[in-house]
Amino acid sequence: MKRTWLLFSQTVTVLLAAYFVVATLKPQWLDREIPGVSVIEAPAGGAPRSAGAGAGFAAAAKVASAAVVSINTSKAAARNPHAEDPWFRFFFGDQGPNEPQGGLGSGVIISTSGYILTNNHVVEGADEIEVILNDTRKAKAQVIGTDPDTDLAILKIDLDKLPVIVLGNSDALQVGDPVMAIGNPFGVGQTVTGGIVSALGRNQLGINTFENFIQTDAAINPGNSGGALVDMNGHLMGINTAIYSRSGGSMGIGFAIPVSTAKQVLEGIVKDGQVTRGWIGVEPQDLNPELAETFGLPKAAAKDGGVIITGVLQNGPAAQAGLRPGDVITAVNGKVVRNVSQLLTAVAALKPGTPAPLTVLRKDKQSEIEVTPGKRQRPKVQQR
């Protein structure tokens, strides 16, 4: 028996060692399938953090740069509706054709089948999209789907032998980790900048509906939007999206959408044509001492954080589960929430129709209430 157990232990050890070596040196052998899209993901535990930043930057840039593309967009200029009217032409002359509007950005190839991640604002309203690879090849891109709520878009090109980036584990990032931003700033060509993760979970910036940004001081400039934020292994950690700037250039505060969010959007768009999000029908507010006093909550409740429910939609999922005004939600499906933005993101991640537990503080008693979320509807766009 002892000999059998020893043989079993040695076999498991060898298999684990082989998996680690393959995951580190040949991650393409571990392709994983997001429904409809074959991608390469790094091991869940993440590879060891690079100790030598100098050598790490060069090696990571070489690994990731090939999969980062430049995106050129064009949009036909709007023509005056009266341009063909003889009287209009008599008084104002022949206006002639207006010049088409152009834009630029970046993107990241995530699949050998040609799928590209970029920002929605890079391709929004474009009539024609051209993708330029780092090896100078060019291709027209098709928009597979967009998600304005996270400012992400999925494109597809038809080329063979495409370089593909490895998707990393953005949840394992820590403040201070070295990262690089790769993109095409100002249209000058592919550029690599380096820095660190300055903060995690940035929200309430008013950029997107769902915000959970990685903040970095790696220089991000106009044209970098849609490009890659990578770690020292060259693994994709985020999609560069926005900068804080008073001049239009980098001031050391840039924001990237975590790859964990991008994978959810990718799966939803490829599988269903859109991203499906949960909704429970409540009116939330950040808990503060004034609201705690108004609803008769302990003073300590406001210090611990959470989101107080000030209104519940009649016959909505929350009302049917028994939630009522004055309840404080402190966790959704086991994930702690401390403000409205975190609650919105956590509820949106729930699968409509599938019950999920909410940790609720009511007066001075904490309990779990199971809520079956509905489907969040996109706000209707008003035509102007």
Side-chain angles (χ1 to χ4, degrees):
M1 182 68 182
K2 185 176 180 181
R3 184 175 180 180
T4 303
W5 175 250
L6 181 61
L7 181 62
F8 174 76
S9 301
Q10 290 174 338
T11 303
V12 171
T13 302
V14 170
L15 288 175
L16 287 174
Y19 177 85
F20 178 79
V21 171
V22 171
T24 303
L25 302 179
K26 293 288 184 180
Q28 62 269 27
W29 293 357
L30 301 176
D31 282 16
R32 291 183 60 186
E33 189 81 13
I34 287 178
V37 185
S38 177
V39 299
I40 304 171
E41 293 189 61
R49 299 176 188 274
S50 175
F57 276 121
K62 185 176 182 180
V63 169
S65 292
V68 180
V69 302
S70 299
I71 297 176
N72 294 333
T73 63
S74 62
K75 181 180 180 181
R79 186 172 174 81
N80 193 303
H82 304 292
E84 300 301 327
D85 187 333
W87 285 104
F88 180 88
R89 297 174 69 176
F90 176 79
F91 284 106
F92 298 100
D94 189 355
Q95 299 294 303
N98 293 329
E99 291 294 326
Q101 300 174 353
L104 58 86
S106 304
V108 188
I109 303 173
I110 56 170
S111 170
T112 54
S113 53
Y115 286 97
I116 294 173
L117 269 173
T118 187
N119 285 136
N120 175 62
H121 75 259
V122 169
V123 299
E124 188 174 23
D127 295 315
E128 191 172 286
I129 303 170
E130 181 184 55
V131 171
I132 306 172
L133 275 66
N134 197 32
D135 62 11
T136 72
R137 286 187 292 169
K138 299 180 180 180
K140 300 296 181 185
Q142 171 192 0
V143 177
I144 300 300
T146 64
D147 184 43
D149 286 338
T150 55
D151 193 22
L152 287 169
I154 310 298
L155 309 181
K156 194 173 188 298
I157 57 175
D158 185 16
L159 288 175
D160 59 1
K161 298 182 180 178
L162 290 172
V164 177
I165 202 163
V166 177
L167 305 186
N169 179 15
S170 55
D171 294 337
L173 276 178
Q174 298 178 24
V175 173
D177 280 348
V179 288
M180 293 185 304
I182 308 175
N184 179 23
F186 302 108
V188 300
Q190 190 176 92
T191 302
V192 179
T193 58
I196 62 169
V197 174
S198 306
L200 295 167
R202 286 293 195 220
N203 53 46
Q204 297 179 315
L205 301 176
I207 300 173
N208 301 334
T209 302
F210 299 102
E211 297 182 339
N212 179 30
F213 290 113
I214 302 166
Q215 182 181 322
T216 177
D217 64 350
I220 298 175
N221 288 291
N224 267 116
S225 290
L229 186 75
V230 303
D231 65 6
M232 290 299 95
N233 301 294
H235 298 166
L236 183 67
M237 290 291 146
I239 300 296
N240 300 325
T241 297
I243 58 174
Y244 173 82
S245 177
R246 296 177 179 175
S247 62
S250 174
M251 295 186 69
I253 301 179
F255 302 101
I257 301 167
V259 72
S260 56
T261 300
K263 285 191 288 187
Q264 293 175 1
V265 171
L266 173 67
E267 181 176 348
I269 287 177
V270 174
K271 183 180 177 182
D272 304 318
Q274 63 179 350
V275 183
T276 302
R277 295 188 169 93
W279 165 84
I280 61 173
V282 296
E283 183 179 336
Q285 288 191 35
D286 291 340
L287 183 61
N288 57 46
E290 291 76 18
L291 284 172
E293 183 178 355
T294 300
F295 285 93
L297 295 168
K299 293 182 178 179
K303 296 181 181 179
D304 296 335
V307 179
I308 188 166
I309 303 304
T310 56
V312 179
L313 181 68
Q314 187 175 6
N315 296 324
Q320 292 176 0
L323 281 171
R324 57 193 191 214
D327 287 346
V328 177
I329 300 177
T330 58
V332 175
N333 205 21
K335 187 173 184 178
V336 174
V337 294
R338 301 192 183 280
N339 55 52
V340 171
S341 179
Q342 291 179 355
L343 174 67
L344 184 65
T345 300
V347 169
L350 300 178
K351 186 177 180 180
T354 301
L358 270 61
T359 304
V360 175
L361 177 67
R362 180 173 292 170
K363 298 297 183 180
D364 58 350
K365 294 182 179 180
Q366 181 171 293
S367 61
E368 279 200 354
I369 296 179
E370 195 171 76
V371 178
T372 302
K375 180 180 177 181
R376 183 180 186 272
Q377 301 296 322
R378 281 190 177 184
K380 294 183 179 179
V381 179
Q382 296 181 352
Q383 298 295 329
R384 295 186 179 181

